[in-house]
Amino acid sequence: MVQQEPAGALGLAAAGEAAAAAATAEVRLSRRRWAVVLLFSSYSLCNAFQWIQYGSINNVFVRFYGVSTFAIDWLSMSYMVTYIPLLFPVAWLLDKRGLRLIALAGSALNALGAWVKLGSLKPHLFPITVLGQVICSLAQVFILGMPSRIASVWFGPREVSTACSIAVFGNQLGIAVGFLVPPVLVPNVEDVEKLAYHISIMFFATAGMATALFILVVIVFKEKPPYPPSRAQALIRSRPTEEYSYVQSILCLLRNGNFLLLMVTYGLNTGCFYALSTLLNRMVIHHYPGEEVNAGRIGLTIILSGMVGALISGIWLDRTKTYKQTTLVVYIMSLVGMIAYTFTLSLGHLWVVFVTAGMLGFFMTGYLPLGFEFAAELTYPESEGTSSGLLNVSAQIFGIAFTISQGQIMDCFGTKAGNLFLCSFLFLGTVMTAFVKADLRRQQANLDNEQTKAMPEACTDPIVEESKL
């Protein structure tokens, strides 16, 4: 009678073989990696611009379409509503079919939504602009979970956090452009025909850009580099396909206490950012009537300062790997910035608002890539697309709740009460962040594989640029 080995022993043997294969695998950095991340960043920019292009001139679209401010707010919130039910199907596609299919779908839907909006250039055609915005919100589902996955699949361990920051940059820059450009292209003129003409210029330019980016994605965007860029990625590639279970991956994430804490704190911070971005025009116009352009510039200041913060955070993480400490400090400063913004908005001095908004943006917007990268560390070797997706679902849920609640509070009690509402949740998030443990599994995997690689019987090829071979 032949005895079978226990399943656990077979699993350990398979894991050992995978680790050995990863330790001896050839590791290279592809030259194409920068083109991939910059292209992704560009079509993410275009999609984020379409998210905020209505909210940044809320009062103009209210008058053009003859609808309520809440209806225009919902054009922004549609992005959040659409994301929640579609996250898991898209994350499953990302794991099963890979980066290229998701990139093609996201950029194609983004372009399609932009063209549909061109059919809504009459005041009675508001439902058409809603349809176009919903299509763009579908594109966003294929975009938001990609930064950490692109960074892990294409970049080495010394670049991964910086690459994730650059990938997130596009989305943030798109919001910045969405605050700056619409008030300039669509002035608040009385003549409805002239207003429709100005709106058409914005819609045509957006559709043309989105189409060009889709064509570039078809040509340039590849599934993965020919060789793994890191030992951790080599270990994932060496794992048998049948060993991976998408449902099991989600269950593992939901059993990870540190990740659950991070998911809630990320949702609180990013939800506050979504509410602030959506309602910024209403807040500024309330205290500074007729300052639509400056309202857009304040939004631009928030985002640009946040991009600087994100870049500095990414470089800092690549050098120090202090994920927990950096995340906590940035969260505390986001709270301080929100408090400063709350109490200076009504002082009557726009330059003060610019300063406090810049401080708020540096930390609040700069936190976004930190959350993605910390999650990737806490959940390795689970898919970065799944962990990022769960973070974004949390952000969308809190974003919807905060936007609706803050809008109602502002209508009843004023802007200061609405902003204090956000401050209270940022304080809660700060306290919860302090309880997240720095279990850096991805860094440990790289370390373990490097130690295995250093054994005498293993080869010692360095990580090199593809162009040098």
Side-chain angles (χ1 to χ4, degrees):
M1 182 176 178
V2 180
Q3 290 186 338
Q4 291 187 342
E5 290 201 40
L10 291 173
L12 288 173
E17 290 174 7
T24 56
E26 186 172 6
V27 172
R28 299 187 195 177
L29 295 177
S30 169
R31 287 173 296 175
R32 187 184 288 266
R33 69 192 188 280
W34 296 110
V36 167
V37 75
L38 290 173
L39 181 56
F40 167 80
S41 196
S42 297
Y43 75 78
S44 177
L45 180 156
C46 186
N47 184 257
F49 172 83
Q50 297 199 75
W51 168 58
I52 204 65
Q53 68 182 162
Y54 295 99
S56 63
I57 47 174
N58 184 294
N59 58 321
V60 175
F61 278 108
V62 163
R63 190 165 57 82
F64 180 73
Y65 287 118
V67 295
S68 67
T69 56
F70 191 59
I72 300 299
D73 288 344
W74 266 108
L75 289 175
S76 296
M77 286 191 286
S78 66
Y79 268 53
M80 307 174 205
V81 172
T82 306
Y83 188 86
I84 296 167
L86 294 179
L87 158 69
F88 292 112
V90 172
W92 180 84
L93 270 178
L94 177 60
D95 286 329
K96 292 297 182 183
R97 300 298 299 274
L99 286 169
R100 179 172 166 81
L101 176 66
I102 300 301
L104 288 170
S107 55
L109 286 167
N110 188 55
L112 177 61
W115 284 109
V116 168
K117 289 179 184 180
L118 280 165
S120 66
L121 295 173
K122 298 288 184 183
H124 65 281
L125 295 176
F126 182 67
I128 304 298
T129 216
V130 171
L131 175 61
Q133 187 74 341
V134 168
I135 294 173
C136 291
S137 73
L138 293 174
Q140 179 222 211
V141 185
F142 291 85
I143 292 172
L144 281 189
M146 294 269 278
S148 57
R149 181 64 173 265
I150 290 173
S152 291
V153 169
W154 282 89
F155 289 83
R158 296 183 186 90
E159 304 170 329
V160 67
S161 294
T162 304
C164 185
S165 295
I166 292 171
V168 173
F169 258 18
N171 192 271
Q172 302 309 306
L173 185 57
I175 299 171
V177 175
F179 277 121
L180 178 67
V181 172
V184 175
L185 289 183
V186 188
N188 192 7
V189 295
E190 293 297 325
D191 189 292
V192 174
E193 291 297 323
K194 286 184 178 179
L195 196 54
Y197 170 74
H198 290 299
I199 293 171
S200 72
I201 292 175
M202 180 172 70
F203 284 175
F204 266 116
T206 306
M209 180 64 69
T211 303
L213 288 169
F214 169 66
I215 293 170
L216 283 174
V217 168
V218 172
I219 297 169
V220 174
F221 208 102
K222 300 298 180 185
E223 177 60 39
K224 60 185 177 183
Y227 300 94
S230 67
R231 297 292 164 207
Q233 197 59 217
L235 184 60
I236 289 175
R237 287 197 188 189
S238 64
R239 183 172 61 183
T241 306
E242 61 272 14
E243 187 181 311
Y244 178 78
S245 165
Y246 178 65
V247 175
Q248 190 63 36
S249 175
I250 293 175
L251 292 176
C252 284
L253 292 178
L254 296 179
R255 287 195 294 263
N256 185 328
N258 288 318
F259 174 71
L260 289 178
L261 271 176
L262 180 65
M263 188 169 78
V264 174
T265 58
Y266 183 90
L268 291 170
N269 191 303
T270 311
C272 288
F273 169 70
Y274 287 159
L276 186 69
S277 301
T278 302
L279 301 171
L280 183 65
N281 173 267
R282 287 171 58 184
M283 281 190 262
V284 175
I285 296 301
H286 176 77
H287 292 289
Y288 306 92
E291 294 285 359
E292 289 89 357
V293 173
N294 272 321
R297 289 172 180 165
I298 290 170
L300 176 70
T301 302
I302 291 173
I303 304 303
L304 291 183
S305 60
M307 291 172 63
V308 175
L311 181 60
I312 292 173
S313 297
I315 295 171
W316 175 258
L317 287 182
D318 279 332
R319 289 173 183 254
T320 67
K321 308 302 179 187
T322 54
Y323 290 86
K324 163 68 180 290
Q325 298 92 321
T326 306
T327 302
L328 182 58
V329 168
V330 169
Y331 218 117
I332 292 170
M333 294 308 298
S334 296
L335 172 60
V336 172
M338 189 68 206
I339 292 171
Y341 171 79
T342 298
F343 288 99
T344 57
L345 180 61
S346 59
L347 292 181
H349 301 291
L350 267 173
W351 70 269
V352 176
V353 180
F354 273 97
V355 172
T356 54
M359 176 187 171
L360 171 62
F362 183 87
F363 294 104
M364 181 178 277
T365 313
Y367 171 82
L368 303 183
L370 282 179
F372 283 148
E373 279 302 288
F374 199 8
E377 290 291 338
L378 294 174
T379 60
Y380 179 86
E382 306 303 335
S383 166
E384 297 87 0
T386 308
S387 62
S388 297
L390 287 171
L391 291 186
N392 283 319
V393 161
S394 177
Q396 311 304 326
I397 291 172
F398 283 113
I400 294 169
F402 289 168
T403 302
I404 294 174
S405 301
Q406 188 186 10
Q408 295 299 314
I409 292 170
M410 284 167 52
D411 290 341
C412 297
F413 304 104
T415 55
K416 183 174 289 185
N419 286 327
L420 285 172
F421 168 78
L422 296 185
C423 289
S424 64
F425 284 99
L426 284 174
F427 175 75
L428 175 62
T430 302
V431 173
M432 293 179 70
T433 299
F435 289 95
V436 181
K437 294 180 181 177
D439 181 16
L440 306 183
R441 300 179 181 182
R442 185 172 63 182
Q443 293 304 316
Q444 190 60 47
N446 277 321
L447 217 61
D448 292 346
N449 277 293
E450 285 297 339
Q451 289 172 353
T452 306
K453 183 76 173 171
M455 293 173 63
E457 65 269 23
C459 63
T460 55
D461 293 338
I463 299 177
V464 293
E465 290 278 355
E466 193 178 65
S467 57
K468 294 178 183 176
L469 299 177

